[in-house]
Amino acid sequence: MSETNRLLQSLTVKDRKHLLSHATLVDLEQKEVISESRDRPEHAYFMLSALASEVVELEDGEIVEIGLVGFEGMTGSFHLLGTSPSVSQCLIQIAGSAYRVPFRDLDKLFNDSHGIRAAILQYVQHQMAHLGQTAACNRMHDAGPRFARWLLTVQDRSARDEFRLTQQFLAHILGSGRTTINVLARTFERQSLIGHNRGRISILDRKGLEAAACACYEATRGHLHDLYA
């Protein structure tokens, strides 16, 4: 579990203090919606121990995850680039804490501070690379390797070895039925890769999960490493 935010830490001390002077430390609950699709958010959130999902609801009601935001970044960065509406809803996947900044304040900071603007734009570039890799992965790879990739990505962005996730939510995120998720979870349990009990998943063998994941995981992890190298 992290109590720092890597995007904030990448700023100069002066810029970080300036931004945090507009921030409030808040606790976020699982499934809490923090921004709706097509609406400009009231706040941006710099995640600490919470983890958020950017999701799109399709015409048939299915939900597809297109991005994750943990302590490496912030929510709402897309809206700093212009007035085009977002197609995604942002909700809390793992409860925890974050710094909440009024979006109107962040918009002004983004335009007035070269350092803040440069850091956020670099993060947006990372998000775009992650989105592209995830889209390709969802199209080309089987559920098992995608499940392993996704668990590793969650761990990377939450710094947790254990988190609460329901099978229904996992089924939505991975675009698979609950039966498939149940089979995958049991298979990974038998291989001692994870523990799974009453909606809690614990990472037991990270190296084993890395071996089970598709190559997309190494690609997205590389994007994140390069962002803060």
Side-chain angles (χ1 to χ4, degrees), residues 20-21 38 50 55 112-113 151 153 155 160 171-172 180 218:
L20 288 176
S21 69
R38 306 195 68 82
V55 301
D112 291 348
S113 168
L151 290 171
T153 302
Q155 188 180 41
R160 297 175 186 234
H172 283 313
T180 300
E218 284 300 327

Side-chain angles (χ1 to χ4, degrees), residues 3-5 8 16-29 32-35 41-50 69-70 73-76 90 92 96-107 109:
E3 291 299 335
T4 61
N5 178 278
L8 291 177
R16 184 165 60 249
K17 286 183 176 180
H18 191 194
L19 195 156
L20 288 176
S21 69
H22 297 268
T24 303
L25 183 63
V26 296
D27 292 321
L28 299 169
E29 298 298 324
E32 182 177 346
V33 176
I34 57 177
S35 69
E42 292 185 13
H43 300 91
Y45 293 83
F46 291 81
M47 296 294 166
L48 297 174
S49 58
V69 181
M74 59 170 287
T75 66
C90 189
I92 298 304
S97 60
Y99 285 118
R100 183 180 66 196
V101 181
F103 208 85
R104 62 181 181 276
D105 293 346
L106 183 61
D107 198 20
L109 290 166

Side-chain angles (χ1 to χ4, degrees), residues 27-75:
D27 292 321
L28 299 169
E29 298 298 324
Q30 190 177 41
K31 298 183 180 181
E32 182 177 346
V33 176
I34 57 177
S35 69
E36 294 284 2
S37 61
R38 306 195 68 82
D39 292 338
R40 186 178 175 87
E42 292 185 13
H43 300 91
Y45 293 83
F46 291 81
M47 296 294 166
L48 297 174
S49 58
L51 187 97
S53 282
E54 297 278 356
V55 301
V56 174
E57 185 174 354
L58 304 179
E59 290 182 358
D60 60 2
E62 286 296 314
I63 295 172
V64 178
E65 182 182 80
I66 63 170
L68 283 168
V69 181
F71 73 99
E72 85 292 344
M74 59 170 287
T75 66

Side-chain angles (χ1 to χ4, degrees), residues 84 132 155 158 184 229:
S84 295
Q155 188 180 41
S158 67
L184 287 173

Side-chain angles (χ1 to χ4, degrees), residues 7-21 113 115-116:
L7 176 53
L8 291 177
Q9 290 300 314
S10 72
L11 300 174
T12 65
V13 173
K14 179 181 178 181
D15 282 341
R16 184 165 60 249
K17 286 183 176 180
H18 191 194
L19 195 156
L20 288 176
S21 69
S113 168
I116 291 174

